[in-house]
Amino acid sequence: GGNLIFSGLHFYAAHKDPNHLDYQSSNQSSGLVRFVGDGADILFEDIHSEYVGWVFQGWPNETSRYENVAIRRSFIEKNYNLPGGAHAQGIWSSYTHGLLLEDSSWYHNGWRADMPETATTFNRNIYLSHSLEDVVFRNNFSLMSATTGGQFRSGGKIFGNVISHGTAGIQL
């Protein structure tokens, strides 16, 4: 499918928010905005995402992939998983051609402040696999990541960003 626009939405996983009445300490399944398979021309704009991770994953192999995905003017914050669970990122992507992350804030993803053991070397605000092409990371804030502000295994055009309060800035 293609030509999808998601605008002005708030994604919130209340079961992962320790300050919410619906918090479930024993059920920490990932809250995810997850696209698996393939697709094209997908825009997310003016999104607020709390305790929710994002995944764009070509599946089942490199012949299936996403084309032209953009996240713009959005705020992605506080996604984490408990120790022993899956790794946690603000966004994780593989097999995507044309990923634009622009004018957005990535805040405090990969860990929970009252549980420092959730901040592992595998958790961060942004984790992009080696299999991406044409990545643009422009005019973003990446703050208080569990480790690095972003892991860009495939490289890309990375400019105009502020990265602070993590163990390192950007890893290529």
Side-chain angles (χ1 to χ4, degrees), residues 101-118:
L101 305 175
E102 181 178 55
D103 298 327
S104 295
S105 293
W106 307 84
Y107 175 73
H108 208 284
N109 289 292
W111 65 294
R112 206 169 104 184
D114 64 334
M115 300 178 79
E117 66 274 18
T118 59

Side-chain angles (χ1 to χ4, degrees), residues 7-42:
S7 181
L9 299 175
H10 183 196
F11 298 108
Y12 177 58
H15 74 281
K16 290 180 71 176
D17 181 351
N19 299 312
H20 195 278
L21 291 175
D22 291 333
Y23 173 69
Q24 299 173 16
S25 63
S26 61
N27 177 13
Q28 289 291 302
S29 61
S30 295
L32 289 175
V33 174
R34 185 171 185 183
F35 286 75
V36 176
D38 57 30
D41 304 318
I42 304 169

